[in-house]
Amino acid sequence: MRRSAAAVMTAVLTFSIIAVASPAWAEPTGCVQATPSFSQSGGYMTASNWATCNTSATRTYKIEIKRDVNLSPDVVVSSYDDYWTGTYYEASTSSCDGRKTANYYGRSFFTVNTTYKDTSHYQVTTC
């Protein structure tokens, strides 16, 4: 009896982990986001973007600056959440990264039903 209970728990936990890790593949219904922008000056990076929705609701729209790391999850260097009740969302974040030279990019998304949009990757020597 204990073995079958353990097997069921293992299956439930495995399914839960897969369900949490799997991204949704759509924006919130009626929402669209622009293409994010990424710029840098003197190693100081900025990423920004905006989105609109057909109906007013409380949503969180997020922008991140990420460092591209091979064979590992990319590192979030900076982020900003636009938590708002409305139809227009705008987010921007800026940062340095300790004088590292690496590839960086911007990523924007709604935190529910996330479809992210990325900028191109840019090699930056940060401040």
Side-chain angles (χ1 to χ4, degrees):
M1 191 66 145
R2 286 185 180 174
R3 286 185 186 182
S4 62
V8 168
M9 284 303 290
T10 300
V12 167
L13 287 173
T14 301
F15 179 73
S16 297
I17 291 168
I18 291 169
V20 169
S22 300
W25 297 108
E27 309 263 76
T29 302
C31 296
V32 294
Q33 60 175 313
T35 301
S37 66
F38 183 93
S39 62
Q40 71 89 25
S41 177
Y44 188 72
M45 303 173 289
T46 300
S48 58
N49 203 5
W50 59 270
T52 61
C53 299
N54 292 335
T55 58
S56 180
T58 302
R59 300 176 180 94
T60 302
Y61 186 63
K62 187 170 194 140
I63 187 83
E64 299 174 332
I65 294 174
K66 300 186 89 168
R67 182 175 354 112
D68 190 351
V69 180
N70 290 334
L71 304 175
S72 295
D74 291 346
V75 175
V76 176
V77 174
S78 180
S79 69
Y80 175 78
D81 293 354
D82 183 15
Y83 177 76
W84 181 249
T85 302
T87 59
Y88 179 77
Y89 304 84
E90 189 169 3
S92 182
T93 188
S94 299
S95 184
C96 291
D97 194 21
R99 299 185 179 178
K100 291 179 177 63
T101 298
N103 287 321
Y104 294 88
Y105 62 99
R107 172 171 286 176
S108 62
F109 56 95
F110 285 95
T111 58
V112 178
N113 299 327
T114 56
T115 296
Y116 59 84
K117 290 203 175 184
D118 289 349
T119 66
S120 296
H121 291 222
Y122 301 93
Q123 186 172 30
V124 179
T125 300
T126 66
C127 46

